[in-house]
Amino acid sequence: MKRRSVTIKTLDRVAEAILVVALVGEIVIVVVNVLGRSFGQTGFLWTPEISQIALSTMTFIGGVVAYRRSQHAPVRAVLNLLPERGARFCYTLADVLIFAGALLAAITSYWLVEAGWAERTPILGIPVSTIGLPLALGMILLVIFALVRLYENAPMLALKTGVGVAVVLGVAYATQSLWQPLFAGDASVFTVLILFALGILSGLPVGFALLLAAAAYLWIADAAPMVTLTQNMVNGTSNYVLLAVPFFILAGLIMERGGISLRLVRFVHALVGHFRGGLLQVVVVSMYLVSGLSGSKAADVAAVGSVMRDMLDRQNYSRGEGAAVLAASAAMGETVPPSIAMLILGSITSLSIAALFSGGLIPAAVIGICLMILIYFRARSAKLPTTPRASLQTMAQSGLAAIPALLMPVILFGGIIYGIATPTEVSTFAVIYGLVLAVVVYRELPPRELLRTLIDSATLSGMVLFILATASAFSWMLTVASLPQRLVSLLHGFNDSSAIFMVGSVILLILTGSLLEGLPALNVLAPLLLPIAGEIGINELHYGIVLVIAMGIGAFMPPAGVGFYVCCAIQRTHVEEASRAMLPYLGVLVAGLLIVAFVPWFTLLLPRAVGLIH
């Protein structure tokens, strides 16, 4: 027992070390490349190949470490209604299915690596399969971690469930020639979508549900060799711009743990804390500002929520109300740059990331103002007391302390909008700037905490990127099943009405964003919907911003939105209490989104002003 525990702990440490090396190494490579381009008039040609390997490592090793840490959160809306035995069975079944999916992916990734080992990359001359090697290693590690979790949690239940799943799969394989003809055509994709929904609702984390759904379609429909699954997973994280995801997440965690967010919240409190419902107003404005620094919703919510929680308690605000406002504000801030959702949207479509960043500022402000108006009237109805306006001296002191932090969004926004550097390069310098503030200026991030921050950011990034990788395989499945053509046909059935299409898109993204943790919904649906929007006369940039906001609302909407559970955990409140408080804020979020959707001027004003669109 002790030897096994030491072995697993060693595997944990080795995996974390690999992630830190990949993350720090990539930051160094990007900085060296920028300096080389600046002073030598050329970059280093080998950096894209190394970057792909680093990104693949952070995706597949990081995603597995996130599983080990239980960071792949399941949708608990149905599980919370089940008795304890039923919920325990669902969790065990989920881990058994994860084990089966990991074993399948490990085998097919070996085929993928073997097939491309003889090919060489053009610059470094290393095997092309090196990019897919982290997937093979990660899946082997996932097999081990899934077995360990099953043994640690409920060994007998795991054994019985595993045998049951094995028997079902064995019988299905043995009788494949009998049942496969029944799933010809549409039946296969609809069956897989139903199984996917059932998996999500029964507690299977979304990244693994996407993986298993794509594998199930390949088997049931016999659409392509199974190695296509892992090939699409590797392709899903091959875009260089996705390196900005771990860099922005790291910048956000440095903000939270290095005292930068605290200074921003104090400044906002000095400015708007005297408004009716003052501290809740501070949450909204702080989330707007912090969203413009980290790009990571998890980091945003933790940064603001952890600072505001005790302040809300001291002034007797309801914790449920605090969690609701935090969730609504997080959904509002999805389009404040640098947004990971917008980075991903730009990486999978033809939309300019600079245009997305500039186009998202005013829509978020419109929804933020709507939330602040609702807070004002709810506070007045509840006769909540107001606090005195902060003195000019307090405002000046808090403003001076916040200036270094406020310079970060100026640097980020300006660097991307004016083409000084790519989003990936700008995010790298955001990390360096944050480190200078946290370590040198504020001195609130000691070496041990910095190492822990690097590991945490790499793990969180791995979870996000792993979901994107599996969503890429799932998206390929939908394309093979002709879902885009079906969407076009459905649209033509409504006589190409842009209003109906816009409302239908909002509903679809909110619902799927709630079930798929937000980003996978965007990753799967945006490439399908954007071309249709352009065909019927909707500006694609404006439509992209609407999709991002709708996705954000779904991710923070009870009862299924994973982001909502994060807000409740940070505010230390019950989901039921926060859900009741969330209802009016959810209504205002949807109303604000519809205002943005049907008034394109809010989205297009800034991009036109800075010359990004005509």
Side-chain angles (χ1 to χ4, degrees), residues 85 87-93 95-96 146-162:
R85 289 184 63 185
R88 189 167 66 249
F89 170 75
C90 286
Y91 284 125
T92 303
L93 177 61
D95 285 324
V96 169
L147 281 175
V148 169
R149 178 178 291 188
L150 288 167
Y151 179 82
E152 290 176 344
N153 291 344
M156 288 306 300
L157 179 60
L159 180 61
K160 294 175 182 177
T161 306

Side-chain angles (χ1 to χ4, degrees), residues 497-550:
S497 168
S498 60
I500 293 176
F501 179 70
M502 184 67 84
V503 172
S505 300
V506 166
I507 295 172
L508 180 63
L509 261 294
I510 289 177
L511 293 178
T512 54
S514 178
L515 288 176
L516 303 186
E517 289 191 33
L519 290 178
L522 194 67
N523 196 62
V524 170
L525 294 174
L528 307 181
L529 297 174
L530 266 171
I532 302 174
E535 287 178 9
I536 63 175
I538 299 175
N539 183 281
E540 290 190 9
L541 174 63
H542 169 234
Y543 183 70
I545 294 296
V546 171
L547 291 184
V548 171
I549 298 172

